[in-house]
Amino acid sequence: TYTVHYGDEYTITAAAATGYTFEEVYYVNTTTGDVGNIIANDDGSYTLVIDGDITLGVKTKAIKYALTVEGDENVVADSTITLTAVLEPELEGDVITWAVSDESIATIDENGVLTGKSVGKVTVTATSATGLTAVKEDIRVLFKDVTLDDKDSYWFEPIYWGADNGFVMGIADKDGDYTTFNPTGVTNRGAMVTFLWRMAGEPEPKATVSPFSDVKLNKDGSKPYYYDAVLWAAENGIAAG
């Protein structure tokens, strides 16, 4: 309760808790019971000129924050793009935490810098200190030799259709990441049969031993990538050697 004198000016400063804003600042004259609103100054203070004892009060409401993620939807393998989390209204000191759905395809740092590793698609999630989350889906990592500069070429859409569906993987680099495709390269028979096998859902062949002398296990006993595909194609009459 404050006692003020007629004609005197009093300035009171108040601050709402984080995540809230003032919906109304009011006074109650304890003598007359009159209630009135107090208008805020531009600097956030409140000035009142009242005669008599008053009780000051405030009503607060939660701020409705909205969080979105802005930025490019494509990044070339071994390159970066920067994503931006936009919180409206702004909250001073707010911290954004970033996460990516598959770190074998891309990584993201604390500043929203996304680095493409291997061809594919990822979803990025931004989380604010207020507890809000925002996602940006289907950010594509492009092959280094099949970029948006090639968008008008006849192979652009088919290559990424095949990559999206797991039919083609590209060429692995020394780290095992698929960063190039070589769109004008020559496709061998093993790769061609493997494409068909993947499109069929990678069915398990009934045979366990290859009928072809040049399709055999690696020296360490592992299977070359085309091994099961060739066995499946042979037993289904797709490849005869």
Side-chain angles (χ1 to χ4, degrees), residues 10 18 51 80 99 104 114-116 136 164 199 203 209 218 236:
Y10 293 83
T18 300
D51 184 21
T80 64
S104 69
L114 184 80
T115 302
K136 191 172 181 65
D164 289 345
M199 293 176 70
V209 179
N218 296 321
N236 284 279

Side-chain angles (χ1 to χ4, degrees), residues 18-103:
T18 300
Y20 291 83
T21 186
F22 289 135
E23 183 175 30
E24 180 183 7
V25 179
Y26 62 92
Y27 68 87
V28 179
N29 188 308
T30 56
T31 302
T32 65
D34 292 339
V35 178
N37 290 333
I38 304 172
I39 306 303
N41 300 318
D42 291 339
D43 62 0
S45 64
Y46 299 84
T47 301
L48 51 151
V49 180
I50 308 171
D51 184 21
D53 291 342
I54 63 169
T55 297
L56 292 176
V58 295
K59 293 180 180 179
T60 61
K61 63 179 179 179
I63 298 174
K64 293 183 178 180
Y65 290 104
L67 183 66
T68 56
V69 176
E70 299 178 352
D72 291 338
E73 296 180 349
N74 298 283
V75 58
V76 177
D78 293 337
S79 299
T80 64
I81 58 173
T82 300
L83 301 178
T84 303
V86 180
L87 182 66
E88 295 182 344
E90 293 183 7
L91 179 61
E92 185 177 353
D94 187 52
V95 177
I96 299 295
T97 302
W98 295 93
V100 66
S101 59
D102 190 339
E103 291 191 344

